Amino acid sequence: NKKEFVKQKALIIGGSKGLGEATVKILSLGSARILFSYFRGKKDAHQHRKAFKKNIKIFHLNIEKKINLNTLKDIKNFKPTHFYYFATPRIFSGSGYEFVEKNFEIFNNYYLTGFQKIFNQLDKKILKSVFFPSSVAINQVTNKLCEYACSKAAQEILLKYLSQKYKTINFLCPRLPRLKTDQTLSTLDHKSELPFRRMLKLIKKIK
């Protein structure tokens, strides 16, 4: 349906690759208006904007650094009705089954502090939904994912608290399985699902 998402003004953090890229394409095909950020995927971001130039705007963002005033102004002026958050560091960065505090801090900079930076800028009277996927790594012990899983668990707790504070906003935090993205692709990744179909099913359920 070319008009399925026409009422959405979607802010997508991390929209040039992986799950974010799939979301940009899905929403664009459904006529949503989109403002999305990229970090290292500048070429990909510009290709998406060129393909869907009528309804996409892009901006560069390093979520770990202070956000400049012009970027904050652009986010506020866009007045999103839907907020999708996919910013992430490299996931398989741990050391066996050990807990490394430095790695945990990096994940928290993205999933807690970074998310909150953006969320704080949004008009809660306009915002209808927040989509910030979690991971099955929380309940599946996997080599090199200890710090990632701990941070994702903390993310889920944060969203539960926000959902109690902002009862008019729909917070979605599905625990997704490993999908084929730039973050997870490897020679051993042949069983992983491609993200487009999974994301399409999820986005169709978002109010």
Side-chain angles (χ1 to χ4, degrees):
N1 186 341
K2 291 183 178 180
K3 299 293 183 181
E4 187 167 7
F5 307 116
V6 71
K7 293 183 179 180
Q8 282 201 33
K9 292 184 71 177
L11 172 65
I12 302 173
I13 302 300
S16 63
K17 294 181 179 296
L19 300 181
E21 177 185 8
T23 301
V24 167
K25 290 179 178 178
I26 290 166
L27 292 177
S28 297
L29 291 169
S31 299
R33 283 171 288 175
I34 296 169
L35 174 66
F36 82 82
S37 75
Y38 67 91
F39 179 25
R40 295 189 178 92
K42 182 177 181 179
K43 183 179 179 181
D44 295 313
H46 282 276
Q47 286 178 344
H48 299 335
R49 184 176 65 176
K50 186 177 180 180
F52 303 99
K53 57 185 176 182
K54 291 183 179 180
N55 59 344
I56 285 185
K57 294 182 179 180
I58 65 175
F59 66 99
H60 179 265
L61 177 68
N62 181 347
I63 201 67
E64 291 191 277
K65 293 187 177 181
K66 185 177 180 179
I67 305 173
N68 68 58
L69 293 178
N70 287 333
T71 297
L72 292 177
K73 184 178 179 181
D74 288 342
I75 290 172
K76 287 182 178 180
N77 290 342
F78 183 65
K79 297 181 179 179
T81 59
H82 293 70
F83 176 31
Y84 298 84
Y85 192 88
F86 300 105
T88 186
R90 187 166 295 281
I91 293 171
F92 288 86
S93 58
S95 177
Y97 292 97
E98 298 178 5
F99 181 88
V100 179
E101 185 175 351
K102 182 178 179 181
N103 290 342
F104 185 56
E105 289 177 358
I106 292 172
F107 284 119
N108 287 344
N109 285 340
Y110 277 77
Y111 302 148
L112 303 177
T113 309
F115 169 82
Q116 197 72 48
K117 281 182 190 177
I118 305 297
F119 182 75
N120 287 344
Q121 305 303 317
L122 307 184
D123 187 335
K124 311 307 185 294
K125 294 179 181 179
I126 297 174
L127 189 64
K128 295 180 179 180
S129 294
V130 173
F131 183 90
F132 186 5
S134 184
S135 171
V136 295
I138 290 175
N139 53 314
Q140 294 178 359
V141 177
T142 305
N143 187 30
K144 297 186 178 181
L145 290 185
C146 180
E147 304 88 356
Y148 169 73
C150 289
S151 187
K152 279 294 181 182
Q155 168 202 316
E156 290 188 8
I157 293 170
L158 172 61
L159 293 192
K160 285 180 181 179
Y161 274 83
L162 291 176
S163 68
Q164 290 300 306
K165 183 176 182 179
Y166 302 102
K167 294 185 181 295
T168 60
I169 301 173
N170 184 28
F171 290 86
L172 297 101
C173 189
R175 289 184 181 179
L176 298 184
R178 184 177 179 182
L179 301 172
K180 283 187 179 179
T181 71
D182 304 89
Q183 289 285 358
T184 64
L185 199 59
S186 74
T187 56
L188 301 177
D189 199 38
H190 60 282
K191 293 183 179 180
S192 296
E193 178 185 353
L194 291 170
F196 191 91
R197 184 174 297 179
R198 174 61 67 100
M199 291 306 301
L200 178 60
K201 289 180 181 178
L202 291 170
I203 291 170
K204 281 179 175 289
K205 296 178 181 178
I206 295 174
K207 299 178 182 179

